[in-house]
Amino acid sequence: MEYLLDREKIDKFINKNGKYTFKRRSITYVLPLPTREPERAKFERGFSAITGGVIRKVNEKDVHVSTSDDIIDDIIADGKFQDDESKTLFTHFLKDQVKELTEGKVTTLTQLGRIPLTDNVNERKGEIDLIRFFFDTFIRDNIDRLQTILQNHDDSDLITEILDLSTSDTANQKNSMTYYRCLFPQLREQFMRDLENLAKNPSFLAGHLSLLMVHYTFVAMSQLILQTNKLTGFNREELQPVYYLLEWEKAAKWRDSYRYGNKMLLGEMEGFFAHEHALNILGMNTFSTDRNQFYHDLKEKLSEAGPEAERQFIKSIYAWLSEVYHVKTNIVVEAYKVDKTLEMAFSDFIEAIKKGISNEVNSRYPKAFEAIISKFFRKHGGPLGTILSLSQEQLLMLVAVSITEDRIELKQLWKELERRGVWLDHHSKEEVVKVLDKLNYMEKKSDSGDAQYVKNVL
């Protein structure tokens, strides 16, 4: 077997009317970030529209759900009424209920599944991409497990049962396609355990599911950014620390939340679109047909094949850079040398691609990621800019899912939060203790306070 880039496939991918194009998403999907501003999700209803779409997908229904007047007219037409007055009253009632669902005002899990996507057709594309990302990352391999949770909490009410009569039970076949790959199996398992824990309290689950889902979406995206930038050093098992500040705390440059929070993530996002293009090209090779291969996957396959296979692929990368990429773009590229390692080849490859990505794409691409931060995790730090933060509601939700027994030791709580992608410095931890103590969730084993416990919030 030869271990080379497949130039024929790559030529079809990069050529558009004879010109080189920096495309993505042929065989590899990296992040659910649109490059066009109109398609960016604005989160008018918080994250509930995404949650509703995911629930429908789990229930094998179309991610789209209509709340138009046509639906109401069809329901009314099928109904039987004593007189015109009762028909009019029911029509008004139905419209009011649908309006509340459209605005994301729900009290049950079943109602969550009725929240529609945005009315803006362009922005809907961004929401659907987030639904696909979340579903493929956290749910696809756990559909039966999640369906069991939903079935055990069948809290349907009259309005949702009526609306469900007008909803197709068959999902669009396109929705069954796998787009993204779960690169953090432990994080996926943690989400499922947290969901099962929340399900012990149905009302808490309905009120906090969207909050839990946006948290895990953001953590998965953040870790994907940090780990992809490590190229072959991608670590699937160990999350990289990302620090948060509590919403009511004062930001400062010396705080870890400034240095290793939003500032770090946005720094890692600079030029990241190059990975979207590069991974598609590198995945088009003669030794693997797998989709969604990252640098560490290619490294693993080549290591199994032996040093000669790795050397052949390294040469192929540099040959393509000089004979194809340089010729088509006139961008200066690194030349092959015998001491080049696979890591160095990937690094040189990325740097060459980065030089070709337009400033426009590089500036638009991170905006959707920043939109999630601004909507759900932003604290205005004055001259320090945006600081990653947690509200009290977000904090209590994370504390709630972290405790599966009657209580846990305080020091264990910090480890549980880190398993869920949240790191806090010493000052923030003190604030957490103050909040939990104020809400009567803290328990001391002795007057000395040496052993402190946190009670079960659920």
Side-chain angles (χ1 to χ4, degrees), residues 87-105:
K87 180 179 179 180
T88 301
L89 284 172
F90 185 72
T91 301
H92 285 310
F93 166 74
L94 204 55
K95 286 184 175 180
D96 286 343
Q97 293 299 306
V98 169
K99 182 182 178 183
E100 288 201 357
L101 286 175
T102 302
E103 293 173 351
K105 298 176 182 177

Side-chain angles (χ1 to χ4, degrees), residues 48-103:
S48 57
I50 314 302
T51 305
V54 170
I55 290 175
R56 290 191 291 278
K57 196 168 173 65
V58 170
N59 288 327
E60 299 179 342
K61 295 181 179 179
D62 199 307
V63 294
H64 297 280
V65 59
S66 178
T67 56
S68 67
D69 289 341
D70 290 340
I71 292 292
I72 295 175
D73 291 342
D74 289 343
I75 293 172
I76 296 299
D78 290 337
K80 294 181 180 180
F81 304 93
Q82 290 183 342
D83 49 43
D84 288 342
E85 183 179 359
S86 61
K87 180 179 179 180
T88 301
L89 284 172
F90 185 72
T91 301
H92 285 310
F93 166 74
L94 204 55
K95 286 184 175 180
D96 286 343
Q97 293 299 306
V98 169
K99 182 182 178 183
E100 288 201 357
L101 286 175
T102 302
E103 293 173 351

Side-chain angles (χ1 to χ4, degrees), residues 27-28 30 228 274-283 293-295:
I27 59 172
T28 300
V30 184
T228 301
H275 292 300
E276 296 266 11
H277 183 65
L279 286 169
N280 276 279
I281 293 176
L282 293 169
Q293 295 181 95
F294 282 64
Y295 307 105

Side-chain angles (χ1 to χ4, degrees), residues 201-218:
N201 186 326
S203 61
F204 197 93
L205 174 63
H208 293 80
L209 180 56
S210 291
L211 207 60
L212 183 72
M213 285 176 58
V214 71
H215 173 77
Y216 271 96
T217 299
F218 181 66

Side-chain angles (χ1 to χ4, degrees), residues 187 215 219 223 239 242 244 417-423:
L187 192 66
H215 173 77
V219 171
Q223 292 297 324
L239 301 182
V242 176
Y244 293 72
L417 292 177
E418 289 168 7
R419 287 195 181 103
R420 292 159 177 84
V422 173
W423 274 258

Side-chain angles (χ1 to χ4, degrees), residues 9 45 51 74 76 158 178 211 221 225 240 245 257 270-271 293 295 310 324 345 379 406 458:
K9 288 181 181 177
R45 306 180 186 111
T51 305
D74 289 343
I76 296 299
L158 178 61
T178 300
L211 207 60
M221 290 174 68
I225 293 165
Q240 183 170 327
L245 194 73
S257 51
E270 289 183 13
Q293 295 181 95
Y295 307 105
E310 188 169 310
V324 179
K379 173 183 173 61
D406 290 337
L458 294 174

